[in-house]
Amino acid sequence: MGRQPCCDKSGLKKGPWTAEEDKKLINFILTNGHCCWRAIPKLAGLLRCGKSCRLRWTNYLRPDLKRGLLSEDEEKMVIDLHAKLGNRWSKIASCLPGRTDNEIKNHWNTHIKKKLRKMGIDPQTHKPLDIVDEGQREEERQADGLRIGGGDSSTKSREEGIGMKIQSFWIDDYPMILPEEMAVNTPCTTASVSSSSASSSSSMNSAKLDANLYSFLEWPESTPSWELDDLLSLDLLWEDPLVDYGGSLLGQDAWSFSL
DNA sequence: AAACCGGTCAACCGCGGCCGT
DNA sequence: TACGGCCGCGGTTGACCGGTT
């Protein structure tokens, strides 16, 4: 029976989102919530399929998203959870508030995989790689201060549950992050400190929202789910004309919603 | 200065699962 | 139980960027 396409693709726009489209989507969802993704494009006046809208919202426009690179602690959590859950990115993401599955998946493929391989760990199995000569690896271990091997600790840790497994990381490999340092990992400060993806690629897409997008908001410690009322209460902030968002959006009154 | 190349990441695609009928 | 619609997930693609030659 062949699967039907998620929507009628004829006449629908694809590719990068424009600021105007973002504005329409945010405005609609903040006002109405997202009851049915399939209906949203039409109701919001967008020439996109519902799927594209959902993706744009969940991966980029959601107000509770953190921006910028994953912190060391978050990275450790991802590795740990991956050892336990495998490539279930959405499950992993659900344990990291403000992070999306797409973001974590990308970070895994571009950063963590390499890091693990460099450490002599197979990113898929989380077991030591055997392809490297053991003696040579021993030298690398001494040089790098790694502690790979010595009984399959990664496997062992996998059986100990997430909370315990945190302890199985080679702390020496990662600079420790103190709780107070974690606290500065807000979208605002992350973006300002990091010279990474968020800022470096800001010119990639004219519609791309800078990591400073929500920098003017004060984020609660954890925002697992925002009610519409919570978001609506932010309208004064959205309209603050004094905030420099570092992008072109403000100049277009993109955030002056009439809620 | 231009061409090339590898890295990065937003966005797309298609499948699987859930749920209502 | 079977079917169809919708959503969410994971894999993949492709545009863009910075570094190198």
Side-chain angles (χ1 to χ4, degrees):
Chain A
M1 144 178 81
R3 188 182 178 82
Q4 286 190 335
C6 71
C7 53
D8 178 13
K9 298 221 171 12
S10 62
L12 290 186
K13 190 170 178 295
K14 286 170 60 177
W17 281 63
T18 65
E20 185 63 26
E21 289 175 311
D22 283 343
K23 180 185 171 183
K24 283 182 179 177
L25 183 59
I26 293 173
N27 200 10
F28 180 85
I29 291 179
L30 291 188
T31 307
N32 304 289
H34 53 83
C35 52
C36 172
W37 287 114
R38 202 181 173 94
I40 281 181
K42 199 172 183 179
L43 296 171
L46 290 162
L47 290 174
R48 296 273 181 175
C49 73
K51 213 177 201 180
S52 183
C53 292
R54 177 175 55 81
L55 212 62
R56 182 64 177 171
W57 174 258
T58 55
N59 286 341
Y60 213 86
L61 299 175
R62 255 170 49 201
D64 59 323
L65 286 181
K66 290 180 186 175
R67 308 300 307 173
L69 283 181
L70 272 67
S71 68
E72 297 287 344
D73 273 9
E74 285 176 316
E75 208 168 84
K76 288 177 201 171
M77 267 194 87
V78 169
I79 296 170
D80 192 45
L81 289 165
H82 185 273
K84 189 179 182 64
L85 302 169
N87 291 0
R88 292 179 190 156
W89 304 115
S90 63
K91 289 272 183 290
I92 294 172
S94 67
C95 299
L96 291 143
R99 299 296 185 183
T100 70
D101 54 348
N102 207 34
E103 190 178 13
I104 290 172
K105 180 173 57 182
N106 282 334
H107 190 78
W108 177 270
N109 288 327
T110 56
H111 294 106
I112 300 179
K113 256 186 180 176
K114 288 176 199 165
K115 191 178 276 188
L116 288 178
R117 286 208 182 97
K118 199 174 177 183
M119 292 163 62
I121 297 173
D122 181 358
Q124 276 315 114
T125 64
H126 293 258
K127 292 179 180 177
L129 288 166
D130 294 326
I131 55 174
V132 182
D133 175 73
E134 188 59 31
Q136 181 188 339
R137 186 130 52 88
E138 178 59 33
E139 290 175 15
E140 291 174 0
R141 261 181 239 140
Q142 289 176 356
D144 296 340
L146 303 181
R147 289 175 292 178
I148 299 166
D152 187 2
S153 56
S154 60
T155 304
K156 178 172 180 287
S157 66
R158 230 172 292 146
E159 296 163 355
E160 294 173 348
I162 295 171
M164 293 296 291
K165 286 200 307 173
I166 289 293
Q167 298 174 9
S168 74
F169 282 102
W170 312 125
I171 301 301
D172 294 349
D173 301 335
Y174 299 94
M176 289 293 289
I177 293 188
L178 302 171
E180 56 269 31
E181 292 173 310
M182 285 294 289
V184 301
N185 190 25
T186 61
C188 173
T189 51
T190 303
S192 60
V193 169
S194 164
S195 62
S196 60
S197 57
S199 55
S200 67
S201 60
S202 61
S203 61
M204 282 177 65
N205 174 358
S206 62
K208 183 180 285 185
L209 303 181
D210 190 86
N212 288 327
L213 174 59
Y214 301 107
S215 64
F216 53 96
L217 300 179
E218 288 188 8
W219 298 96
E221 284 294 321
S222 142
T223 55
S225 64
W226 284 54
E227 299 297 332
L228 180 58
D229 286 348
D230 297 329
L231 295 168
L232 293 178
S233 68
L234 299 172
D235 59 351
L236 288 177
L237 292 168
W238 288 93
E239 293 181 5
D240 186 349
L242 299 177
V243 179
D244 178 11
Y245 301 91
S248 59
L249 289 172
L250 245 227
Q252 302 168 14
D253 260 350
W255 308 104
S256 297
F257 300 135
S258 52
L259 298 176

